[in-house]
């Protein structure tokens, strides 16, 4: 006897509500009794991953593969079945393998999903569409029927929007979501020139796009993270609250070396943290940073490095100009740190506040050990050195590092 299946729908739905939507959907293959129960659950986080749901459908009915219209219908059915008036967080993830071969895309399902999200007062929305749309789109005029107010939306993440509508949707959310505080845009095309205007936005992330010119005017923006393969033009028009900047993927050192092309030099005095990080080793013709402003508020600094001359030209003036700095993170890209004769005279006065030095991809070379020891001598208040082991690190290198450091400095290995 299947006593569990004999329980009332209310009890079974209460049980299923404690599962993820993937696990809940899997219960549909148990029996006819369970086939539709999972669709009636009010999920606080509704995570619709089409790859998982389609695989479950095929397992249940493998003789009849889903067509495109059925895929969209499945997603819409899940949304329609939500009986509650609100969904705290909605995630819709569409796998690339199910749309890459389509020649066109009807925007009606996408418009419907956004309308439903607004109707259900979604606070956190995540759309991962993997360039959904093929070569062309149809019924684009439907974007004009989107609700004029998405007042519940606080956090938005957009991944891999198609070039035909990426700019349209971003502009829509910025204009019609007055409470939007967090915006993350990733792998979206046709964003060569992007303007971000928002009154409430506090955290903005833009990664892996082809943006060449970015203009930001957000009076409440606190953090900005940007990752790109080539150097962009970034214009900060109105960012009086900005405290954290992270620039990755290109030679971001140039942005603080060259005064006439400097988008962040005027912001440095207000920053609490700064990260300038390349994603891979590259030959760079760097010149020393001169006339660097005093960054009285800077507490955390992250730099990637290929060799000592970058450390001398970049780290030295930043340390001197940041008297309140508490933590420095160094990311070793080359798996080696080369000696530079100017290092001995570069840091000739002790830093009074630096407490933590973090070394990522530490391999235990003699140059790294020497430099860590020198930093321990240079920072009068140094308490801890955090080591992120690289796969090739040798225990002898760690032992030598411990011997090189004063006993008052703790070594933490991650």
């Amino acid at each position: 006897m299947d006593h569990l299946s004999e329980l009332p729908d209310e009890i079974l739905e209460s049980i299923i509500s404690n599962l993820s939507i993937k696990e809940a959907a899997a219960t549909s293959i148990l029996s006819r009794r369970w086939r539709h129960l999972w669709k009636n659950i009010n999920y606080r986080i509704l995570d619709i991953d089409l790859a998982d749901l389609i695989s479950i459908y095929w397992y249940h009915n493998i003789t009849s593969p889903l067509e495109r219209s059925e895929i969209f219908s499945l997603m819409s059915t899940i949304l329609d079945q939500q009986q509650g008036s609100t969904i705290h967080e909605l995630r819709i993830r569409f796998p690339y393998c199910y749309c890459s071969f389509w020649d066109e895309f009807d925007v009606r399902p996408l418009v419907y999903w956004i309308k439903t999200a607004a109707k259900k007062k979604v606070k956190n929305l995540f759309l991962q569409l993997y360039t959904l749309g093929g070569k062309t789109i149809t019924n684009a005029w439907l974007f004009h029927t989107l609700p004029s107010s998405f007042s519940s939306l606080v956090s938005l993440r957009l991944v891999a929007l198609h070039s035909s509508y990426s700019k349209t949707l971003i502009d829509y959310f910025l204009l019609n979501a007055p409470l939007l505080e967090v915006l993350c845009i990733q792998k979206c095309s046709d964003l060569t020139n992007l303007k971000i205007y928002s009154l409430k936005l506090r955290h903005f992330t833009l990664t892996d796009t082809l943006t060449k010119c970015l203009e930001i005017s957000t009076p409440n923006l606190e953090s900005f993270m940007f990752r790109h393969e080539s150097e962009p033009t970034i214009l900060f028009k109105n960012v009086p609250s900005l405290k954290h900047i992270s620039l990755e993927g290109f030679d971001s050192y140039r942005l603080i070396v060259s005064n006439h092309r400097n988008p962040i030099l005027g912001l440095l005095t207000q920053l609490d943290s700064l990260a300038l990080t390349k994603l891979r080793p590259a030959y760079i013709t760097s010149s020393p940073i001169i006339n660097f402003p005093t960054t009285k508020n800077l507490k955390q600094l992250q730099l990637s490095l290929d060799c000592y001359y970058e450390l001398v030209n970049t780290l030295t003036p930043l340390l001197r100009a940041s008297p309140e700095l508490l933590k420095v993170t160094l990311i070793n890209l080359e798996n080696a740190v080369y000696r530079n004769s100017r290092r001995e005279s570069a840091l000739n006065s002790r830093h009074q506040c630096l407490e933590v030095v973090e070394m990522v991809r530490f391999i235990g070379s003699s140059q790294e050990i020497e430099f860590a020891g020198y930093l321990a001598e240079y920072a009068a208040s140094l308490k801890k050195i955090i080591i992120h082991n690289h796969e090739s690190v040798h225990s002898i290198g760690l032992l030598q590092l411990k011997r090189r450091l004063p006993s008052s400095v703790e070594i933490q290995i991650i």
Side-chain angles (χ1 to χ4, degrees), residues 141-411:
W141 62 272
L142 285 173
F143 284 124
H144 297 292
T145 68
L146 290 171
S148 59
S149 178
F150 199 153
S151 57
S152 63
L153 190 63
V154 175
S155 176
L156 174 66
R157 183 180 179 188
L158 303 173
V159 179
L161 299 186
H162 190 266
S163 60
S164 298
Y165 54 79
S166 60
K167 186 68 164 55
T168 299
L169 281 189
I170 291 171
D171 289 342
Y172 163 75
F173 285 115
L174 288 174
L175 181 63
N176 296 285
L179 300 183
L180 186 65
E181 294 184 359
V182 180
L183 175 61
C184 178
I185 303 173
Q186 181 180 0
K187 296 180 181 179
C188 294
S189 54
D190 196 29
L191 298 177
T192 302
N193 297 293
L194 182 61
K195 295 182 179 180
I196 302 295
Y197 292 158
S198 176
L199 293 177
K200 293 290 186 178
L201 193 65
R202 297 175 57 194
H203 307 285
F204 176 42
T205 299
L206 181 64
T207 63
D208 304 320
T209 66
L210 298 177
T211 304
K212 294 182 179 179
C213 182
L214 174 63
E215 184 175 314
I216 304 175
S217 180
T218 51
N220 288 291
L221 189 68
E222 298 176 7
S223 67
F224 170 59
M225 189 271 182
F226 184 84
R227 184 171 66 223
H228 202 294
E229 287 295 331
S230 59
E231 183 177 339
T233 299
I234 306 177
L235 304 175
F236 295 99
K237 290 294 187 69
N238 182 22
V239 288
S241 303
L242 188 60
K243 298 297 182 183
H244 311 279
I245 289 182
S246 176
L247 303 175
E248 298 184 7
F250 58 96
D251 184 9
S252 50
Y253 296 95
R254 297 178 188 271
L255 300 182
I256 59 174
V257 172
S258 178
N259 289 334
H260 67 281
R261 300 179 59 191
N262 198 331
I264 64 172
L265 188 61
L267 302 174
L268 288 175
T269 57
Q270 71 185 53
L271 295 182
D272 288 339
S273 68
L274 174 65
L276 305 174
T277 311
K278 292 174 294 180
L279 300 182
R280 60 181 60 88
Y283 176 76
I284 297 174
T285 304
S286 297
S287 57
I289 301 174
I290 57 177
N291 300 323
F292 200 80
T294 301
T295 56
K296 295 182 179 180
N297 297 317
L298 196 66
K299 300 296 189 299
Q300 297 189 54
L301 175 65
Q302 176 176 299
L303 299 173
S304 60
L305 58 136
D306 298 330
C307 53
Y308 264 144
Y309 79 83
E310 288 187 356
L311 230 53
V312 172
N313 292 336
T314 304
L315 179 60
T316 302
L318 286 175
L319 289 176
R320 288 175 176 171
S322 308
E324 300 297 321
L325 193 66
L326 297 176
K327 180 179 179 180
V328 171
T329 299
L330 303 174
I331 301 176
N332 186 354
L333 296 177
E334 283 280 16
N335 299 335
V337 183
Y338 301 106
R339 187 183 305 276
N340 186 290
S341 59
R342 290 178 292 174
R343 182 194 61 77
E344 286 76 8
S345 60
L347 305 176
N348 50 20
S349 60
R350 303 194 75 185
H351 196 286
Q352 298 302 313
C353 291
L354 185 61
E355 296 182 353
V356 178
V357 172
E358 187 173 21
M359 304 181 73
V360 180
R361 299 190 70 184
F362 178 86
I363 64 172
S365 67
S366 59
Q367 291 84 6
E368 288 175 308
I369 294 170
E370 179 185 0
F371 185 72
Y374 189 77
L375 280 178
E377 298 170 1
Y378 165 72
S381 301
L382 189 66
K383 298 178 180 179
K384 181 188 298 184
I385 291 184
I386 301 174
I387 300 297
H388 291 253
N389 271 355
H390 188 263
E391 57 186 10
S392 61
V393 71
H394 198 278
S395 58
I396 296 179
L398 294 174
L399 180 61
Q400 291 175 340
L401 175 64
K402 186 175 182 179
R403 292 174 177 173
R404 178 68 175 81
L405 298 177
S407 58
S408 58
V409 178
E410 174 191 354
I411 299 178

Side-chain angles (χ1 to χ4, degrees), residues 3-116:
H3 295 291
L4 184 61
S5 295
E6 292 181 351
L7 294 172
D9 286 355
E10 293 79 5
I11 295 179
L12 294 180
E13 290 172 5
S14 178
I15 295 173
I16 297 175
S17 66
N18 293 289
L19 305 176
S20 68
I21 190 170
K22 176 183 177 181
E23 295 169 329
T27 64
S28 65
I29 68 174
L30 295 178
S31 68
R32 290 183 179 180
R33 176 76 171 81
W34 292 80
R35 182 170 298 178
H36 300 291
L37 285 174
W38 67 279
K39 298 178 182 178
N40 300 321
I41 307 303
N42 290 322
Y43 302 92
R44 188 174 184 273
I45 298 178
L46 185 57
D47 189 351
I48 306 176
D49 187 339
L50 262 292
D52 290 334
L53 296 182
I54 292 171
S55 63
I56 292 171
Y57 182 93
W58 280 346
Y59 181 85
H60 183 60
N61 192 12
I62 196 168
T63 60
S64 179
L66 283 172
E67 299 293 334
R68 175 171 59 176
S69 60
E70 293 176 307
I71 294 174
F72 294 144
S73 177
L74 176 61
M75 296 183 67
S76 300
T77 298
I78 296 172
L79 291 175
D80 288 339
Q81 292 293 334
Q82 299 305 301
Q83 302 299 318
S85 59
T86 63
I87 300 175
H88 179 77
E89 182 171 342
L90 174 61
R91 305 171 188 169
I92 297 179
R93 293 181 285 172
F94 203 95
Y96 175 77
C97 58
Y98 293 102
C99 62
S100 59
F101 55 86
W102 293 344
D103 292 329
E104 63 178 31
F105 168 62
D106 190 335
V107 305
R108 283 180 293 181
L110 178 57
V111 170
Y112 175 77
W113 303 334
I114 296 175
K115 285 182 175 180
T116 303

